[in-house]
Amino acid sequence: MEILKTSSLSIGYNDKTIVSDINVTLHEGDIIALIGPNGAGKSTLFKTFSTHIKPVSGTIELFGKDLLSYTPKERAKLLGIVLTERPDDMFLKVFDVVAAGRYPYTGMFGKLSEKDEQEIKVSLELVGANNLIDRAFNTLSDGEKQKVMIAKAIAQNTPIIMLDEPTAFLDYPSKIELFSLLKKLAKEQKKAILFSSHDLELLLRYTDNLWIIARNEPFAAGMSSELLKNDVIKKYFKLKDIDNQYLIKNNN
């Protein structure tokens, strides 16, 4: 099933285009990694999908409707997004942060039901952070905060989950666990998952489909094995001194 589609999408700020002509589709059960050099526009694309900023031109369709035609609450039931910003309220507990993911399903007064509370606990358990539930969010390490924000997106229970740099601040074992969790959510719950990361070697090992973004280059999308063989990854990341066979070996 087609969930999200872009047509001739250009992204940027204040009508200044960073990347243009983005034509991609997310289907049910897809797990796609967005990669690119620093400053290429990865976060800008996520902020465009989250409606924090508007497209410079082109369209984004969510379940066949213009993304901007949805109310914020309607979007929140369809698209869960984790950006790099973090809550800075010193009084928020971990439970409160993850509970924010349930707000689209609460009534006028925002009262959590037993089901909501169960979703919160299950989400924290999935990311291995259930022991943090009563901690103050601002006392956590960067890695712990990252896990809590991912739990919030899972608790939101949307058909699409988008995560900007979810592996940042995580140690190596936690990164592997996260990749395994994302694959499980895509395979078993049929969620469409898009995430960005700088961990190129890990992505090539654990992700089959890539979107590649780079300034002054056309937006590229396809199977990681094909993008490797066609030297697209080397070209976009300017890896002139790295043997392509090294990347291909680590993709097997």
Side-chain angles (χ1 to χ4, degrees):
M1 177 190 292
E2 183 178 287
I3 295 179
L4 183 141
K5 180 180 180 180
T6 69
S7 299
S8 302
L9 177 66
S10 294
I11 60 172
Y13 293 90
N14 302 319
D15 296 327
K16 182 180 179 181
T17 299
I18 295 176
V19 182
S20 61
D21 202 28
I22 301 172
N23 297 283
V24 288
T25 304
L26 264 176
H27 294 91
E28 182 182 86
D30 279 349
I31 177 165
I32 295 175
L34 173 68
I35 64 173
N38 288 334
K42 296 187 296 295
S43 292
T44 303
L45 182 59
F46 277 102
K47 289 179 179 178
T48 305
F49 284 143
S50 68
T51 71
H52 281 63
I53 57 177
K54 291 184 178 180
V56 175
S57 62
T59 60
I60 305 169
E61 290 186 357
L62 182 61
F63 288 100
K65 287 177 55 178
D66 191 312
L67 177 66
L68 297 175
S69 71
Y70 289 93
T71 66
K73 195 163 188 175
E74 287 172 338
R75 279 197 303 271
K77 289 183 178 180
L78 298 174
L79 196 158
I81 231 172
V82 178
L83 299 175
T84 52
E85 292 84 0
R86 299 288 178 262
D88 56 4
D89 189 327
M90 64 182 296
F91 299 108
L92 279 177
K93 289 193 173 183
V94 166
F95 178 90
D96 303 319
V97 173
V98 181
R102 298 301 301 165
Y103 99 89
Y105 307 99
T106 57
M108 184 183 301
F109 301 105
K111 183 175 175 57
L112 295 171
S113 66
E114 288 186 13
K115 179 183 178 182
D116 293 321
E117 294 189 5
Q118 184 63 22
E119 291 275 2
I120 292 165
K121 292 175 182 177
V122 168
S123 300
L124 282 166
E125 188 173 348
L126 280 172
V127 300
N130 49 318
N131 61 313
L132 304 174
I133 193 166
D134 293 320
R135 289 270 303 275
F137 185 76
N138 69 335
T139 67
L140 303 182
S141 69
D142 286 333
E144 289 170 334
K145 287 178 180 178
Q146 197 80 319
K147 288 184 177 182
V148 170
M149 296 307 296
I150 294 167
K152 174 180 174 287
I154 294 171
Q156 201 169 329
N157 197 22
T158 54
I160 308 176
I161 298 177
M162 295 185 177
L163 308 113
D164 191 8
E165 294 292 342
T167 59
F169 310 115
L170 297 182
D171 57 23
Y172 190 85
S174 294
K175 290 178 181 180
I176 301 302
E177 288 177 5
L178 176 60
F179 284 130
S180 298
L181 173 60
L182 295 180
K183 280 197 168 187
K184 183 177 180 180
L185 290 171
K187 184 177 181 179
E188 296 182 5
Q189 299 185 24
K190 302 299 181 184
K191 293 186 183 296
I193 296 173
L194 173 68
F195 68 98
S196 65
S197 178
H198 285 98
D199 294 301
L200 185 56
E201 286 186 37
L202 280 176
L203 290 177
L204 293 177
R205 189 174 298 173
Y206 289 98
T207 309
D208 294 327
N209 295 287
L210 301 175
W211 293 355
I212 310 182
I213 191 169
R215 296 206 181 203
N216 304 315
E217 296 288 355
F219 193 91
M223 296 288 291
S224 56
S225 56
E226 291 301 315
L227 293 169
L228 273 170
K229 290 176 182 177
N230 294 329
D231 286 337
V232 175
I233 292 174
K234 281 186 66 175
K235 177 183 178 184
Y236 281 42
F237 280 85
K238 303 187 186 306
L239 302 175
K240 296 179 181 179
D241 298 326
I242 292 182
D243 186 349
N244 200 45
Q245 291 302 312
Y246 170 81
L247 294 174
I248 293 173
K249 180 181 179 181
N250 282 275
N251 184 230
N252 292 331

